[in-house]
Amino acid sequence: DPLFVYRSDNESDSLVYSAYASGPIIKDRLFFFAMLEGRDNQYDTFGSLTSQRSRNNDPQAIVKLDWNITDNHVMEFTGIYNKNRTQYDAYSYSSGTNVGEHQDLDESYEVENGGEIGILKYTGYLTDSFTISAQYGYLSNLIGSRLPANGVGSECPWAYNFGLTTNVLQSYVGCNTTGIAVISDLNAEPDEDT
């Protein structure tokens, strides 16, 4: 049955925790807020011909500082860190079909997403009716950057073995068993917003 998808052995374990602190560093002048979020995620998925494990345990954080330089001059800083790197392990079945456990490791790779944001803002209350403000910020953000860029066997064309009387995929043949159809330019910069 081409619509049948086996999912009974799929597993996911996810733990997310956070801590935060805030308060004055210098009374009535310098204040902070900081929050850290940690995680420990693992996902195991099993298909008819391949299986995969993914893991991510990268933290995320935000920091906010407010500095009342004087009663009329305020400086603020906001920093955000949300970079994460997910480790993937791709497997095939030495028996040729799903047995409910990972068997032959075909490749391991990482995918990196996210980045850093920093915003610095000055506000000056020069008179009761005149305020001046200036702001500077930076952003560095990776979008699905794969390491290594090309998977094992990606230089080979896909080759599949279908059943004689059905359109159900029975096995991958040839040297590209990972299902990657794109070969990346190894000299290209990562896809990044800045």
Side-chain angles (χ1 to χ4, degrees):
D1 183 357
L3 299 177
F4 175 73
V5 177
Y6 183 81
R7 292 191 175 106
S8 295
D9 290 316
N10 290 0
E11 291 183 4
S12 65
D13 293 313
S14 182
L15 173 65
V16 178
Y17 50 93
S18 62
Y20 67 91
S22 64
I25 297 173
I26 300 172
K27 186 178 179 181
D28 298 328
R29 289 291 173 211
L30 183 59
F31 304 90
F32 82 98
F33 171 82
M35 184 172 69
L36 177 68
E37 179 183 276
R39 70 184 78 194
D40 189 5
N41 298 330
Q42 179 171 306
Y43 302 98
D44 293 289
T45 56
F46 297 88
S48 58
L49 300 174
T50 61
S51 64
Q52 183 180 71
R53 170 173 285 159
S54 63
R55 293 178 300 281
N56 179 313
N57 59 4
D58 292 330
Q60 297 185 31
I62 184 170
V63 173
K64 176 87 166 77
L65 297 172
D66 292 324
W67 179 24
N68 297 325
I69 302 166
T70 67
D71 290 342
N72 296 327
H73 301 279
V74 177
M75 187 76 76
E76 301 171 53
F77 172 75
T78 303
I80 301 170
Y81 178 87
N82 71 343
K83 190 179 291 186
N84 70 78
R85 198 174 263 202
T86 302
Q87 171 73 39
Y88 292 92
D89 296 323
Y91 300 87
S92 57
Y93 304 116
S94 51
S95 61
T97 58
N98 185 342
V99 293
E101 64 182 35
H102 300 298
Q103 288 189 331
D104 299 332
L105 179 64
D106 291 329
E107 73 167 332
S108 291
Y109 61 95
E110 294 180 338
V111 175
E112 190 173 342
N113 286 291
E116 302 169 352
I117 298 171
I119 304 166
L120 186 64
K121 181 180 178 183
Y122 164 79
T123 305
Y125 303 96
L126 303 181
T127 68
D128 288 342
S129 60
F130 185 69
T131 301
I132 188 169
S133 182
Q135 184 169 297
Y136 171 78
Y138 68 89
L139 163 73
S140 174
N141 185 52
L142 283 173
I143 304 168
S145 178
R146 187 184 195 278
L147 304 168
N150 294 319
V152 175
S154 62
E155 69 280 358
C156 301
W158 278 349
Y160 300 106
N161 177 20
F162 286 91
L164 293 174
T165 60
T166 178
N167 63 349
V168 177
L169 175 64
Q170 292 181 337
S171 64
Y172 297 110
V173 293
C175 60
N176 185 347
T177 60
T178 61
I180 296 175
V182 177
I183 299 176
S184 300
D185 180 357
L186 297 178
N187 298 318
E189 294 292 322
D191 190 5
E192 182 176 16
D193 293 331
T194 54

